[in-house]
């Protein structure tokens, strides 16, 4: 007997199907599914943020070359990588909203994870290129137009701050949104650092401060990127999402009415916003299994944020199936 339970934030549907299959091992299979929609399709924040960051790139790149400032060019390169990240995140969000069909039975939700991984990798490579140029400039300092650098970086501070504020909502539940927020907030801080370095050069004439500021920019980029990259790679490898308390989930299932054992518990990310779970639950008494499965699915959704739970109910552990 198989029963499907779909749990959504706004509505619930219960479907029961009895296929009448008899198994020598006395298995009863149950599935509880909880689906939740990710970010809204066509989220206007992505388009606006892309436009604003392209504007920063053009302004800072032009100002950097005019003022001969590697720090400003580094900041422009960082913002260019953010544009790529925004395009990937926005495109992945759109893909994730596409319905599941054909061989893609889970839909395109994993595209958001791939976007987060790609964004992190690109930032690492951009950081390396900036660092190489900055080290070269440390050994051969060049004149820097400090006033131009300060004015241009100030524009970057304003635009990045506005963009970061746009992405404060939703960062707790979506890795891509959190990544965008962290990038924009980091960019604003980096631009402040560029202003400070240019001001010191103006006061002291120490032009090597400009490439030093570039290296500090790289440090900020890598510090902000490492955690995001590690978490997104974990998601791509189907590790349990950060914050998923596996011990508590195991204990909750094991303490449910009539349950004597829980095994083969797996928790992974279907997207940056959707967590899935499968588990075998040993329950000798099969009375009211449909309601039991539905209750567990809803409780997993409400207590642990699991939006797609598949539960297999067994009368006893199947010792004849080593992989079960």
């Amino acid at each position: 007997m198989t029963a499907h339970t779909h749990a959504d934030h706004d509505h619930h549907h219960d479907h029961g199907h009895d296929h009448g299959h008899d198994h020598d091992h006395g298995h009863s299979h149950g599935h509880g599914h909880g689906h939740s929609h990710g970010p809204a399709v066509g989220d206007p924040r992505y388009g606006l943020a892309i436009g604003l960051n392209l504007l920063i790139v053009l302004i800072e790149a032009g100002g950097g070359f005019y003022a001969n400032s590697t720090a400003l060019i580094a900041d422009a390169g960082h913002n260019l990588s953010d544009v790529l990240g925004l395009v990937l995140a926005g495109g992945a969000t759109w893909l994730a909203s596409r319905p599941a069909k054909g061989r893609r039975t889970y839909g395109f939700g994993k595209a958001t994870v791939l976007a987060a991984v790609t964004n992190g990798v690109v930032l690492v490579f951009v950081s390396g290129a900036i660092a190489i140029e900055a080290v070269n400039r440390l050994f051969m300092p060049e004149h820097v137009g400090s006033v131009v650098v300060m004015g241009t970086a100030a524009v970057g501070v304003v635009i990045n701050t506005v963009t970061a504020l746009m992405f404060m909502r939703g960062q707790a539940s979506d890795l891509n949104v959190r990544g965008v927020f962290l990038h924009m907030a980091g960019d604003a801080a980096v631009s402040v650092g560029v202003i400070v370095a240019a001001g010191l050069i103006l006061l002291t004439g120490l032009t090597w401060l400009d490439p030093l500021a570039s290296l500090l920019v790289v440090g900020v980029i890598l510090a902000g990127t490492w955690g995001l990259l590690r978490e997104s790679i974990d998601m791509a490898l189907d590790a349990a999402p950060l914050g998923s308390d596996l011990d508590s989930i195991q204990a909750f299932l094991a303490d449910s009415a009539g349950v004597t054992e829980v095994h083969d518990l797996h928790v992974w990310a279907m997207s940056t916003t959707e967590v899935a779970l499968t588990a075998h639950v040993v329950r000798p008494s099969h009375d009211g299994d449909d309601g039991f499965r539905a209750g567990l699915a809803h409780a997993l959704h409400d207590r642990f944020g699991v939006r797609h739970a598949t539960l297999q109910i067994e009368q006893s552990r199947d010792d004849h199936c080593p992989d079960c």
Side-chain angles (χ1 to χ4, degrees):
M1 179 174 65
T2 305
H4 297 273
T5 302
H6 295 270
D8 198 286
H9 290 300
D10 302 317
H11 55 274
H12 301 283
H13 304 289
D14 291 332
H15 306 283
H17 309 284
D18 191 346
H19 300 294
H21 296 303
D22 294 323
H23 301 281
D24 293 337
H25 309 307
H27 281 191
S28 174
H29 301 278
H31 307 276
H33 303 285
H35 297 279
S36 176
H37 300 292
V41 181
D43 189 335
R45 294 180 297 177
Y46 287 107
L48 183 57
I50 289 170
L52 289 174
N53 274 266
L54 280 175
L55 179 62
I56 296 176
V57 170
L58 293 175
I59 292 174
E60 291 193 333
F65 283 109
Y66 181 79
N68 199 29
S69 169
T70 55
L72 202 52
I73 293 173
D75 206 13
H78 188 199
N79 278 284
L80 182 60
S81 69
D82 285 341
V83 170
L84 174 60
L86 286 164
V87 171
L88 288 170
T93 298
W94 176 80
L95 273 177
S97 70
R98 305 285 291 173
K101 62 180 181 179
R103 293 188 299 113
R104 293 184 176 87
T105 57
Y106 275 130
F108 292 87
K110 211 72 170 184
T112 57
V113 176
L114 296 177
V117 172
T118 303
N119 192 15
V121 171
V122 168
L123 278 173
V124 170
F125 276 102
V126 169
S127 298
I130 294 171
I132 291 172
E133 178 61 23
V135 170
N136 289 334
R137 286 289 187 97
L138 275 175
F139 292 103
M140 294 183 295
E142 298 182 17
H143 173 74
V144 176
S146 301
V147 175
V148 175
V149 173
M150 294 172 69
T152 306
V155 175
V157 171
V158 173
I159 295 178
N160 279 316
T161 300
V162 170
T163 309
L165 292 174
M166 286 167 43
F167 284 88
M168 287 190 68
R169 175 178 55 85
Q171 59 172 310
S173 59
D174 189 340
L175 185 64
N176 275 313
V177 173
R178 176 150 49 99
V180 172
F181 173 79
L182 290 173
H183 285 171
M184 297 302 106
D187 284 352
V190 165
S191 295
V192 170
V194 172
I195 292 172
V196 172
L200 289 174
I201 292 172
L202 187 63
L203 292 174
T204 65
L206 300 175
T207 55
W208 56 264
L209 288 173
D210 183 72
L212 178 62
S214 302
L215 292 175
L216 293 177
V217 169
V218 170
V220 171
I221 295 172
L222 292 178
T225 301
W226 179 247
L228 182 71
L229 181 59
R230 182 177 58 185
E231 186 176 351
S232 58
I233 289 175
D234 281 342
M235 284 187 171
L237 295 174
D238 286 336
L242 193 65
S244 296
D245 191 339
L246 297 181
D247 291 337
S248 294
I249 294 174
Q250 176 89 22
F252 167 73
L253 292 173
D255 291 341
S256 299
V259 174
T260 59
E261 182 185 355
V262 176
H263 62 98
D264 288 292
L265 172 64
H266 302 284
V267 179
W268 73 98
M270 291 174 60
S271 71
T272 55
T273 60
E274 194 169 15
V275 178
L277 174 152
T278 61
H280 291 211
V281 179
V282 179
R283 192 170 185 249
S285 173
H286 275 216
D287 295 337
D289 274 349
D290 287 346
F292 175 74
R293 278 186 290 265
L296 279 187
H298 291 175
L300 287 167
H301 176 276
D302 295 339
R303 295 182 58 174
F304 302 105
V306 175
R307 297 172 180 174
H308 187 112
T310 302
L311 303 169
Q312 176 170 310
I313 311 299
E314 302 171 344
Q315 284 184 312
S316 63
R317 181 134 184 190
D318 186 1
D319 294 328
H320 301 289
C321 181
D323 297 325
C324 297

